[in-house]
C-alpha cells in the first residue's frame, strides 16, 4: 500500500470540537474493504422521528447506493433510521452486483439496529468498477451496533476518508425561541469534485425539529451556493451524497427560521471549503467572484469556467498572474460577455479594465498576490447585476501523482 499522503498545507490546525447531537450515535470499524491499516466503515443510528433530506449526484452513471438512497427519501419517519458508509470501494459500475450488495448490507443493518430496511441509507466511496466485498462489511455489523455511542463524530469523519489528508467537520450552536439548537456535520472529498449537487459524501446532523419537506427545501436551496459552488478538478463523482438529518431531540421547530438557515449555511460552507482545501495536491485556496453578469446563473457559468480551467489552475500553482487565461476562460464559457467591458482583479490589485491591462498595473504586484496561499480572483463583466462566487484550488504535479497511482 502507498504511503499516506502528507496533510494538505491548507488544512485547519485540528478537527473542530463539535456539539453532540442528541438522537444520533456513531460507531466505526475496520472491514478491510480496501485499506488494511485504518477504519473504513461508519455506522450512524438515528432515533425515531428523525427527518432526513438529501441531495445526490446527477451523474448518469451514479452508483447503486445513490439510487437506493434517492428512492428512500421522504418515507415514514416514525421509526428509527441508520446510515452505513464504507470507504475504499464505491460500489459503482458493478451491474446487478451493486444492488445486491446494497440489499445485503441494508438488510443486515436493519435487523441488527432494529429499524425498517426502508430507513437504512448507505454510501460507498472509492474505486469504481470493482465489486464491493460486502460480506466484509456485514461481518462487522454486530461489532458496530454494539459500539454505538454519542460523541464519536470525529471517528466517523475519519472512517469515510479516501484520498483525503484530513478529517473534515463543522458545527454550530444557536438559540431559537430561548432554546439551544445544535448542528454538526462531517464530509469527505478531495478529488473527483465538481459536485453538481454536493461533494463526495456529507452528513449533517441537527437536534432541531423540521418536517421532511421543509428540511428538503432548505437543504436544496443552501446547496446551490455551498457544495454546488466548489470544484477541485471538474469531475463529477458517481457517488456524491449529502444527507441532512433532523432528530427533533431539542423539541425546537426550525421550519422557516432564518437564524437556523443562516447557521446551517455556515456549516455547509465550512465543510465545502474544507473539501477544496484538501483538493488533491492543492497548495492554493481560490475564491472566484464574478459580478456584472446578465444573471446570477450566467455569473456562475463564468465563475465555474474559470475555476475549472486547467490553464488558470496551473498558472495559479506556478504563481503566475496570467490574466490572459482568465479572459480565455470567460470567452469559452458560453455565457454572455463583452471583451471591452471586462474588469479583472487579483486580490486588491486591478489587473485589467475595459478590455485591456490597467495602466496602473505592475507585474510585481500581481506576483505578490499569487504567492499567497489564499487568493481572490474577481471579474466584473459590466453587463448587468448578476453575481456568483465559487471556490477552487490550484492544479499541481501532485494531483497527477495521486491519480496516476490511485488503483495501485
Amino acid at each position: 500500500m502507498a504511503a499516506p499522503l502528507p496533510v494538505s498545507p491548507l488544512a485547519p490546525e485540528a478537527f473542530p470540537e463539535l456539539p453532540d447531537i442528541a438522537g444520533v450515535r456513531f460507531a466505526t470499524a475496520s472491514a478491510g474493504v480496501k485499506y488494511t491499516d485504518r477504519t473504513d466503515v461508519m455506522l450512524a443510528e438515528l432515533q425515531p422521528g428523525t427527518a432526513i433530506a438529501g441531495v445526490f449526484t446527477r451523474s448518469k452513471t451514479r452508483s447503486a447506493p445513490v439510487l437506493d438512497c434517492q428512492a428512500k427519501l421522504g418515507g415514514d419517519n416514525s421509526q428509527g433510521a441508520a446510515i452505513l458508509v464504507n470507504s475504499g470501494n464505491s460500489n459503482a459500475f458493478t451491474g446487478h452486483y451493486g444492488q445486491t450488495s446494497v440489499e445485503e448490507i441494508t438488510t443486515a443493518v436493519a435487523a441488527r439496529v432494529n429499524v425498517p430496511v426502508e430507513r437504512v441509507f448507505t454510501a460507498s466511496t472509492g474505486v469504481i468498477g470493482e465489486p464491493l466485498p460486502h460480506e466484509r462489511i456485514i461481518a462487522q455489523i454486530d461489532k458496530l451496533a454494539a459500539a454505538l455511542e454519542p460523541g464519536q463524530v470525529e471517528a466517523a469523519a475519519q472512517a469515510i476518508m479516501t484520498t483525503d489528508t484530513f478529517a473534515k467537520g463543522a458545527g454550530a450552536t444557536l438559540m431559537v425561541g430561548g432554546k439551544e439548537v445544535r448542528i454538526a456535520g462531517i464530509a469527505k472529498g478531495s478529488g473527483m469534485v465538481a459536485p453538481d449537487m454536493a461533494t463526495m459524501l456529507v452528513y449533517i446532523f441537527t437536534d432541531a425539529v423540521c418536517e421532511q419537506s421543509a428540511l428538503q427545501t432548505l437543504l436544496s436551496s443552501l446547496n446551490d451556493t455551498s457544495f454546488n459552488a466548489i470544484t477541485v478538478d471538474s469531475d463529477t463523482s458517481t457517488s456524491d451524497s449529502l444527507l441532512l438529518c433532523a432528530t427533533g431531540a431539542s423539541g425546537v421547530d426550525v421550519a422557516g427560521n432564518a437564524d437556523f438557515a443562516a447557521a446551517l449555511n455556515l456549516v455547509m460552507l465550512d465543510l465545502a471549503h474544507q473539501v477544496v482545501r484538501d483538493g488533491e495536491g492543492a497548495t492554493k485556496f481560490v475564491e472566484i467572484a464574478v459580478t456584472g453578469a446578465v444573471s446570477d446563473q450566467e455569473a456562475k457559468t463564468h465563475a465555474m469556467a474559470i475555476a475549472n480551467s486547467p490553464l488558470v489552475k496551473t498558472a495559479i500553482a506556478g504563481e503566475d498572474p496570467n490574466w490572459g487565461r482568465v479572459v480565455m476562460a470567460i470567452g469559452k464559457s458560453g455565457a454572455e460577455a463583452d471583451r471591452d467591458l471586462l474588469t479583472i482583479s487579483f486580490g486588491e490589485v486591478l489587473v485589467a479594465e475595459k478590455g485591456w491591462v490597467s495602466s496602473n498595473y505592475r507585474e510585481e504586484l500581481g506576483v505578490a498576490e499569487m504567492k499567497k496561499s489564499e487568493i481572490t480572483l474577481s471579474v466584473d463583466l459590466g453587463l448587468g447585476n448578476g453575481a456568483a462566487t465559487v471556490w477552487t484550488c490550484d492544479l499541481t504535479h501532485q494531483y497527477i501523482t495521486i491519480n496516476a497511482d490511485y488503483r495501485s
Side-chain angles (χ1 to χ4, degrees):
M1 177 177 291
L5 295 168
V7 175
S8 168
L10 304 172
E13 291 185 3
F15 191 86
E17 186 172 336
L18 302 184
D20 288 343
I21 307 300
V24 59
R25 300 192 299 165
F26 301 96
T28 63
S30 301
V33 173
K34 175 185 178 183
Y35 310 109
T36 58
D37 56 351
R38 45 154 288 192
T39 56
D40 59 356
V41 180
M42 179 276 284
L43 177 65
E45 176 199 53
L46 300 154
Q47 72 175 23
T50 298
I52 301 176
V55 287
F56 304 90
T57 180
R58 290 190 285 234
S59 168
K60 298 300 184 183
T61 55
R62 55 193 181 275
S63 68
V66 169
L67 293 170
D68 187 65
C69 285
Q70 287 180 301
K72 289 175 175 176
L73 283 183
D76 177 20
N77 67 351
S78 61
Q79 299 188 66
I83 300 169
L84 186 137
V85 182
N86 75 268
S87 58
N89 182 306
S90 71
N91 193 20
F93 198 59
T94 49
H96 69 274
Y97 296 104
Q99 185 57 38
T100 297
S101 292
V102 171
E103 291 171 357
E104 294 284 347
I105 292 170
T106 56
T107 298
V109 170
R112 185 60 180 82
V113 185
N114 194 29
V115 299
V117 71
E118 294 79 16
R119 292 275 287 168
V120 179
F121 299 83
T122 67
S124 299
T125 179
V127 175
I128 294 171
E130 296 181 4
L132 177 68
H134 58 261
E135 68 284 350
R136 300 180 192 175
I137 297 171
I138 292 171
Q140 298 296 317
I141 290 176
D142 281 349
K143 177 182 177 181
L144 286 163
L148 285 165
E149 59 181 81
Q152 298 300 308
V153 68
E154 182 176 359
Q158 291 170 343
I160 65 176
M161 292 166 51
T162 52
T163 57
D164 305 58
T165 69
F166 62 90
K168 301 167 182 66
T173 300
L174 70 153
M175 302 301 292
V176 177
K179 295 183 178 180
E180 186 177 82
V181 174
R182 298 178 170 191
I183 307 170
I186 60 174
K188 67 84 51 189
S190 189
M192 202 184 290
V193 175
D196 204 16
M197 52 59 59
T199 183
M200 291 189 73
L201 296 179
V202 184
Y203 299 97
I204 301 174
F205 306 91
T206 176
D207 57 7
V209 175
C210 192
E211 188 268 330
Q212 198 276 338
S213 62
L215 195 68
Q216 184 65 56
T217 298
L218 177 60
L219 177 65
S220 297
S221 174
L222 296 180
N223 181 61
D224 284 341
T225 54
S226 56
F227 294 112
N228 218 18
I230 62 172
T231 180
V232 168
D233 51 18
S234 83
D235 285 332
T236 297
S237 171
T238 60
S239 306
D240 291 340
S241 299
L242 163 56
L243 293 181
L244 170 60
C245 308
T247 69
S250 69
V252 181
D253 194 329
V254 298
N257 185 278
D259 290 338
F260 178 79
L264 177 60
N265 182 57
L266 289 176
V267 170
M268 292 172 66
L269 271 175
D270 191 342
L271 291 171
H273 288 180
Q274 287 185 56
V275 170
V276 174
R277 291 177 181 279
D278 202 16
E280 291 171 341
T283 65
K284 310 281 188 181
F285 177 79
V286 186
E287 177 177 287
I288 298 173
V290 175
T291 56
V294 297
S295 67
D296 290 349
Q297 185 54 55
E298 290 235 328
K300 188 171 183 179
T301 297
H302 282 302
M304 292 300 278
I306 297 166
N308 281 324
S309 167
L311 290 178
V312 171
K313 291 161 75 72
T314 51
I316 293 171
E319 301 179 341
D320 177 12
N322 190 340
W323 66 88
R325 293 183 175 180
V326 178
V327 174
M328 173 278 301
I330 293 168
K332 75 170 185 177
S333 78
E336 188 68 27
D338 184 328
R339 178 196 64 193
D340 296 332
L341 296 178
L342 286 178
T343 298
I344 301 171
S345 298
F346 294 153
E348 298 299 318
V349 177
L350 178 63
V351 176
E353 56 183 339
K354 298 180 181 179
W356 190 252
V357 62
S358 171
S359 60
N360 294 321
Y361 176 69
R362 299 293 180 268
E363 183 74 359
E364 60 270 21
L365 298 177
V367 170
E369 287 296 321
M370 291 297 102
K371 288 187 175 298
K372 296 178 179 179
S373 61
E374 300 195 11
I375 298 168
T376 298
L377 192 162
S378 303
V379 173
D380 189 88
L381 293 153
L383 298 173
N385 297 316
T389 302
V390 305
W391 296 270
T392 190
C393 57
D394 55 345
L395 182 60
T396 68
H397 291 285
Q398 183 66 11
Y399 179 88
I400 298 171
T401 299
I402 291 168
N403 285 285
D405 295 338
Y406 183 59
R407 294 204 306 160
S408 303

